[in-house]
Amino acid sequence: MTTNNSGKLALVLGGGGARAAYQAGFLRSMARAFPDLNFPVLTGVSAGAINAAHLANTSEDFPQAVERLTVLWSGITIDQVFRTDMPSLAAIMLRWALRLVSGGTPLSPTRGLLDTAPLCKFLKEALASPDGMLRGIDENIRVGRLSAVGITTTNYGNAESVTWAQGTDIPVWRRPGRQSMMTTLTVDHILASCALPLFFPAVQLGDDWHGDGGLRLTAPLSPALHLGAGKMIAISTQYAGPRPETKPGKPASYPPPATIIGLLLESVFLDMLDSDALAMSRVNQLLIDHPHALESGMHSADLLLIRPSRDLAAIANQFERELPRTFRFISRGLGTRESRRADLLATVLFQPRYIARMMEIGEQDGDRRRGEIAEFLGR
């Protein structure tokens, strides 16, 4: 909890790769139902950092900002995220092979398995930031439209979760394994928060190298609380329903690499929202029951947790053929067609039809929960 009892409304956006388009669809439904809605506090991690940064950087009202966000997602393709041409992929594989056989000599420098230079270019264009500076955030803070925004990364040097925050009257916090850093946010902070371990190259922020913010984020609600939130709407991309069960009596075959990689990626996006929400609920109750709660310097906070009504990863298999031929060949070599789990595909499937399906499900879920959202907002 935090000592700032401002009661601001916060939007907390989790990661999930291409599945983060679900958030854009859900927000589209909310913008249609509550056009005057405003989130003074925004936090994002991994692909959710893209959505949070877009909303924080625009001067448009909520419906227009969300509509532009859906246009952003509708127009993205996988080759705008990382290079998929054969020369690029072959060169990276060759460098990794040389590193392995040479014992890691400086002659074979390697970073990520994929070249994400296209994503940097795409974000600069989408956010109208040719030099990487997100000037709209500063302006929104100056006019009072925005109170604070936080983007979370993982420091590869000390394994800490770092929330890079920009706003007014923000307290600096440090907890075991996590801390805040006051900064002027840039496209580099978004790239670092999205940098999937091994796959995407880490980004240097200050003197350290940073990667995907979901790696060490054990308290995903904490940044919003520290930034002054009294009410939070948290949108995850992780399905919480039952998974397909293994058929009895049939021996399972050895899991292909795609299954193992998918599980590793899912561990990055396996947000701790449920456990964090439970902990917050218990603290809220303690504060309500405590006769001197105000003296503790803490305050209660309300949470509405949104999760997809469908398994977004499982849907990815239907769109596997949309991947570029070279990348599809490599992914099939990893066993994506043999795996019952499609977490790897769902993470990288930045293709129009899959993105459209994610937004469609998000919008349907938003429409379905409109009454619940209205009650939470006190409408």
Side-chain angles (χ1 to χ4, degrees):
M1 309 300 272
T2 179
T3 57
N4 185 354
N5 190 16
S6 60
K8 298 184 180 76
L9 179 62
L11 180 64
V12 179
L13 300 172
R19 285 167 285 186
Y22 169 87
Q23 297 169 347
F26 196 96
L27 291 172
R28 192 179 203 178
S29 172
M30 288 184 63
R32 187 166 56 245
F34 313 103
D36 60 336
L37 192 60
N38 179 53
F39 292 98
V41 177
L42 293 161
T43 67
V45 60
S46 196
I50 298 175
N51 295 335
H54 169 82
L55 294 175
N57 194 54
T58 182
S59 61
E60 299 170 317
D61 60 23
F62 186 53
Q64 291 174 317
V66 170
E67 195 58 35
R68 193 175 293 274
L69 181 63
T70 61
V71 171
L72 182 155
W73 277 102
S74 299
I76 197 170
T77 57
I78 195 169
D79 56 359
Q80 291 175 306
V81 179
F82 54 84
R83 293 184 62 182
T84 60
D85 58 286
M86 178 58 80
S88 174
L89 293 173
I92 292 174
M93 291 179 187
L94 179 60
R95 284 199 297 270
W96 276 90
L98 289 173
R99 182 177 179 86
L100 290 173
V101 300
S102 66
T105 66
L107 298 177
S108 52
T110 54
R111 291 189 178 177
L113 287 167
L114 299 168
D115 182 354
T116 56
L119 179 59
C120 180
K121 179 182 178 183
F122 176 82
L123 288 176
K124 287 181 177 180
E125 293 177 353
L127 297 171
S129 173
D131 60 356
M133 302 299 295
L134 303 177
R135 291 180 175 81
I137 294 178
D138 192 55
E139 176 63 16
N140 285 332
I141 292 172
R142 187 187 67 80
V143 300
R145 186 182 294 114
L146 181 67
S147 173
V149 57
I151 291 176
T152 302
T153 66
T154 299
N155 187 331
Y156 282 155
N158 59 18
E160 280 193 336
S161 176
V162 181
T163 296
W164 302 87
Q166 183 175 348
T168 55
D169 301 323
I170 300 176
V172 177
W173 68 88
R174 176 178 282 277
R175 300 291 185 271
R178 51 191 170 93
Q179 65 165 317
S180 67
M181 294 286 289
M182 301 302 106
T183 191
T184 299
L185 291 169
T186 67
V187 169
D188 280 346
H189 292 93
I190 305 173
L191 291 171
S193 188
C194 295
L196 289 172
L198 291 180
F199 285 88
F200 291 3
V203 177
Q204 188 171 11
L205 300 175
D207 296 329
D208 298 302
W209 292 89
H210 290 251
D212 197 293
L215 273 174
R216 302 284 292 175
L217 189 58
T218 56
L221 301 175
S222 173
L225 285 168
H226 284 293
L227 294 177
K231 276 179 174 285
M232 289 179 285
I233 296 179
I235 307 179
S236 172
T237 61
Q238 297 302 299
Y239 177 64
R243 300 277 186 163
E245 297 182 1
T246 305
K247 294 181 180 180
K250 184 178 180 181
S253 57
Y254 190 82
T259 297
I260 299 170
I261 294 173
L263 284 171
L264 290 174
L265 289 176
E266 188 179 30
S267 70
V268 174
F269 302 129
L270 187 59
D271 53 52
M272 304 293 289
L273 278 171
D274 289 313
S275 59
D276 207 18
L278 178 61
M280 190 171 72
S281 175
R282 288 172 174 171
V283 173
N284 283 345
Q285 192 59 49
L286 287 172
L287 290 173
I288 292 171
D289 296 338
H290 199 285
H292 304 290
L294 293 177
E295 298 175 10
S296 69
M298 303 171 71
H299 75 278
S300 61
D302 298 326
L303 170 69
L304 178 62
L305 177 56
I306 305 296
R307 288 193 182 276
S309 60
R310 298 187 58 183
D311 187 346
L312 305 183
I315 298 172
N317 280 325
Q318 304 171 22
F319 301 91
E320 185 260 357
R321 291 188 61 83
E322 291 194 10
L323 288 170
R325 181 177 299 178
T326 302
F327 190 77
R328 186 171 71 238
F329 178 80
I330 294 173
S331 67
R332 288 180 177 179
L334 292 172
T336 52
R337 303 186 79 179
E338 307 162 38
S339 176
R340 292 196 305 270
R341 305 182 63 89
D343 301 279
L344 173 59
L345 282 177
T347 301
V348 300
L349 236 172
F350 294 91
Q351 291 295 86
R353 289 182 63 224
Y354 180 69
I355 294 295
R357 186 71 180 113
M358 295 299 97
M359 289 195 291
E360 180 185 5
I361 294 174
E363 197 166 352
Q364 290 171 352
D365 285 356
D367 291 345
R368 190 178 300 113
R369 301 186 66 170
R370 183 172 299 173
E372 184 182 359
I373 297 169
E375 183 179 357
F376 178 79
L377 296 173
R379 299 297 179 96

mmCIF file of all heavy atoms in Angstrom, residues 55-72:
data_model
loop_
_atom_site.group_PDB
_atom_site.id
_atom_site.type_symbol
_atom_site.label_atom_id
_atom_site.label_comp_id
_atom_site.label_asym_id
_atom_site.label_seq_id
_atom_site.Cartn_x
_atom_site.Cartn_y
_atom_site.Cartn_z
ATOM 1 N N LEU A 55 -1.719 5.826 -24.362
ATOM 2 C CA LEU A 55 -2.769 6.580 -23.689
ATOM 3 C C LEU A 55 -2.192 7.775 -22.929
ATOM 4 O O LEU A 55 -2.806 8.841 -22.854
ATOM 5 C CB LEU A 55 -3.536 5.669 -22.726
ATOM 6 C CG LEU A 55 -4.342 4.534 -23.375
ATOM 7 C CD1 LEU A 55 -4.945 3.640 -22.305
ATOM 8 C CD2 LEU A 55 -5.435 5.076 -24.289
ATOM 9 N N ALA A 56 -0.995 7.588 -22.364
ATOM 10 C CA ALA A 56 -0.376 8.661 -21.590
ATOM 11 C C ALA A 56 0.180 9.763 -22.477
ATOM 12 O O ALA A 56 0.292 10.920 -22.046
ATOM 13 C CB ALA A 56 0.742 8.097 -20.718
ATOM 14 N N ASN A 57 0.507 9.434 -23.710
ATOM 15 C CA ASN A 57 1.215 10.363 -24.591
ATOM 16 C C ASN A 57 0.294 11.181 -25.483
ATOM 17 O O ASN A 57 0.717 12.146 -26.098
ATOM 18 C CB ASN A 57 2.218 9.581 -25.456
ATOM 19 C CG ASN A 57 3.218 10.467 -26.148
ATOM 20 O OD1 ASN A 57 3.896 11.264 -25.509
ATOM 21 N ND2 ASN A 57 3.320 10.342 -27.462
ATOM 22 N N THR A 58 -0.985 10.798 -25.562
ATOM 23 C CA THR A 58 -1.894 11.474 -26.476
ATOM 24 C C THR A 58 -2.650 12.608 -25.790
ATOM 25 O O THR A 58 -2.916 12.548 -24.583
ATOM 26 C CB THR A 58 -2.909 10.487 -27.080
ATOM 27 O OG1 THR A 58 -3.745 11.167 -28.001
ATOM 28 C CG2 THR A 58 -3.769 9.856 -25.987
ATOM 29 N N SER A 59 -2.984 13.618 -26.549
ATOM 30 C CA SER A 59 -3.756 14.741 -26.022
ATOM 31 C C SER A 59 -5.246 14.586 -26.302
ATOM 32 O O SER A 59 -6.049 15.437 -25.915
ATOM 33 C CB SER A 59 -3.257 16.057 -26.638
ATOM 34 O OG SER A 59 -3.425 16.032 -28.057
ATOM 35 N N GLU A 60 -5.622 13.501 -26.969
ATOM 36 C CA GLU A 60 -7.023 13.285 -27.344
ATOM 37 C C GLU A 60 -7.826 12.796 -26.148
ATOM 38 O O GLU A 60 -7.268 12.277 -25.167
ATOM 39 C CB GLU A 60 -7.096 12.281 -28.486
ATOM 40 C CG GLU A 60 -6.384 12.746 -29.753
ATOM 41 C CD GLU A 60 -6.272 11.638 -30.785
ATOM 42 O OE1 GLU A 60 -5.955 10.505 -30.408
ATOM 43 O OE2 GLU A 60 -6.494 11.929 -31.969
ATOM 44 N N ASP A 61 -9.144 12.924 -26.239
ATOM 45 C CA ASP A 61 -9.981 12.402 -25.169
ATOM 46 C C ASP A 61 -10.008 10.873 -25.251
ATOM 47 O O ASP A 61 -9.498 10.269 -26.197
ATOM 48 C CB ASP A 61 -11.388 13.005 -25.220
ATOM 49 C CG ASP A 61 -12.122 12.704 -26.534
ATOM 50 O OD1 ASP A 61 -11.779 11.718 -27.209
ATOM 51 O OD2 ASP A 61 -13.044 13.468 -26.884
ATOM 52 N N PHE A 62 -10.635 10.255 -24.249
ATOM 53 C CA PHE A 62 -10.550 8.799 -24.109
ATOM 54 C C PHE A 62 -11.045 8.036 -25.341
ATOM 55 O O PHE A 62 -10.329 7.169 -25.860
ATOM 56 C CB PHE A 62 -11.308 8.367 -22.848
ATOM 57 C CG PHE A 62 -11.168 6.906 -22.520
ATOM 58 C CD1 PHE A 62 -9.921 6.305 -22.401
ATOM 59 C CD2 PHE A 62 -12.298 6.125 -22.320
ATOM 60 C CE1 PHE A 62 -9.798 4.950 -22.093
ATOM 61 C CE2 PHE A 62 -12.190 4.772 -22.005
ATOM 62 C CZ PHE A 62 -10.935 4.183 -21.899
ATOM 63 N N PRO A 63 -12.231 8.331 -25.887
ATOM 64 C CA PRO A 63 -12.680 7.571 -27.071
ATOM 65 C C PRO A 63 -11.745 7.714 -28.268
ATOM 66 O O PRO A 63 -11.458 6.735 -28.962
ATOM 67 C CB PRO A 63 -14.064 8.156 -27.358
ATOM 68 C CG PRO A 63 -14.522 8.725 -26.064
ATOM 69 C CD PRO A 63 -13.278 9.253 -25.415
ATOM 70 N N GLN A 64 -11.265 8.939 -28.523
ATOM 71 C CA GLN A 64 -10.366 9.149 -29.653
ATOM 72 C C GLN A 64 -9.022 8.453 -29.438
ATOM 73 O O GLN A 64 -8.462 7.864 -30.361
ATOM 74 C CB GLN A 64 -10.153 10.648 -29.878
ATOM 75 C CG GLN A 64 -11.389 11.378 -30.383
ATOM 76 C CD GLN A 64 -11.166 12.885 -30.460
ATOM 77 O OE1 GLN A 64 -10.589 13.485 -29.561
ATOM 78 N NE2 GLN A 64 -11.628 13.492 -31.542
ATOM 79 N N ALA A 65 -8.512 8.519 -28.206
ATOM 80 C CA ALA A 65 -7.236 7.877 -27.903
ATOM 81 C C ALA A 65 -7.331 6.370 -28.083
ATOM 82 O O ALA A 65 -6.423 5.731 -28.634
ATOM 83 C CB ALA A 65 -6.809 8.220 -26.475
ATOM 84 N N VAL A 66 -8.437 5.785 -27.626
ATOM 85 C CA VAL A 66 -8.615 4.333 -27.756
ATOM 86 C C VAL A 66 -8.808 3.946 -29.217
ATOM 87 O O VAL A 66 -8.289 2.919 -29.672
ATOM 88 C CB VAL A 66 -9.808 3.868 -26.898
ATOM 89 C CG1 VAL A 66 -10.156 2.410 -27.204
ATOM 90 C CG2 VAL A 66 -9.482 4.025 -25.412
ATOM 91 N N GLU A 67 -9.542 4.762 -29.955
ATOM 92 C CA GLU A 67 -9.740 4.449 -31.368
ATOM 93 C C GLU A 67 -8.411 4.473 -32.116
ATOM 94 O O GLU A 67 -8.146 3.627 -32.973
ATOM 95 C CB GLU A 67 -10.718 5.445 -31.991
ATOM 96 C CG GLU A 67 -11.267 5.007 -33.341
ATOM 97 C CD GLU A 67 -11.984 3.667 -33.292
ATOM 98 O OE1 GLU A 67 -12.640 3.376 -32.271
ATOM 99 O OE2 GLU A 67 -11.870 2.907 -34.277
ATOM 100 N N ARG A 68 -7.561 5.432 -31.777
ATOM 101 C CA ARG A 68 -6.239 5.485 -32.401
ATOM 102 C C ARG A 68 -5.385 4.285 -31.977
ATOM 103 O O ARG A 68 -4.577 3.786 -32.746
ATOM 104 C CB ARG A 68 -5.542 6.797 -32.044
ATOM 105 C CG ARG A 68 -4.307 7.067 -32.886
ATOM 106 C CD ARG A 68 -3.737 8.433 -32.557
ATOM 107 N NE ARG A 68 -4.621 9.505 -32.972
ATOM 108 C CZ ARG A 68 -4.619 10.021 -34.195
ATOM 109 N NH1 ARG A 68 -3.796 9.535 -35.125
ATOM 110 N NH2 ARG A 68 -5.430 11.010 -34.503
ATOM 111 N N LEU A 69 -5.603 3.819 -30.734
ATOM 112 C CA LEU A 69 -4.877 2.634 -30.261
ATOM 113 C C LEU A 69 -5.288 1.392 -31.042
ATOM 114 O O LEU A 69 -4.447 0.561 -31.395
ATOM 115 C CB LEU A 69 -5.143 2.423 -28.769
ATOM 116 C CG LEU A 69 -4.438 1.231 -28.098
ATOM 117 C CD1 LEU A 69 -2.927 1.401 -28.145
ATOM 118 C CD2 LEU A 69 -4.921 1.068 -26.655
ATOM 119 N N THR A 70 -6.584 1.270 -31.338
ATOM 120 C CA THR A 70 -7.044 0.124 -32.127
ATOM 121 C C THR A 70 -6.506 0.191 -33.556
ATOM 122 O O THR A 70 -6.200 -0.839 -34.160
ATOM 123 C CB THR A 70 -8.581 0.042 -32.146
ATOM 124 O OG1 THR A 70 -9.114 1.226 -32.733
ATOM 125 C CG2 THR A 70 -9.139 -0.111 -30.740
ATOM 126 N N VAL A 71 -6.379 1.403 -34.088
ATOM 127 C CA VAL A 71 -5.784 1.560 -35.419
ATOM 128 C C VAL A 71 -4.320 1.131 -35.392
ATOM 129 O O VAL A 71 -3.828 0.466 -36.313
ATOM 130 C CB VAL A 71 -5.914 3.022 -35.904
ATOM 131 C CG1 VAL A 71 -5.105 3.247 -37.173
ATOM 132 C CG2 VAL A 71 -7.378 3.376 -36.137
ATOM 133 N N LEU A 72 -3.626 1.498 -34.318
ATOM 134 C CA LEU A 72 -2.231 1.088 -34.158
ATOM 135 C C LEU A 72 -2.107 -0.433 -34.208
ATOM 136 O O LEU A 72 -1.269 -0.985 -34.932
ATOM 137 C CB LEU A 72 -1.690 1.641 -32.842
ATOM 138 C CG LEU A 72 -0.222 1.388 -32.468
ATOM 139 C CD1 LEU A 72 0.244 2.492 -31.505
ATOM 140 C CD2 LEU A 72 -0.017 0.038 -31.796
#
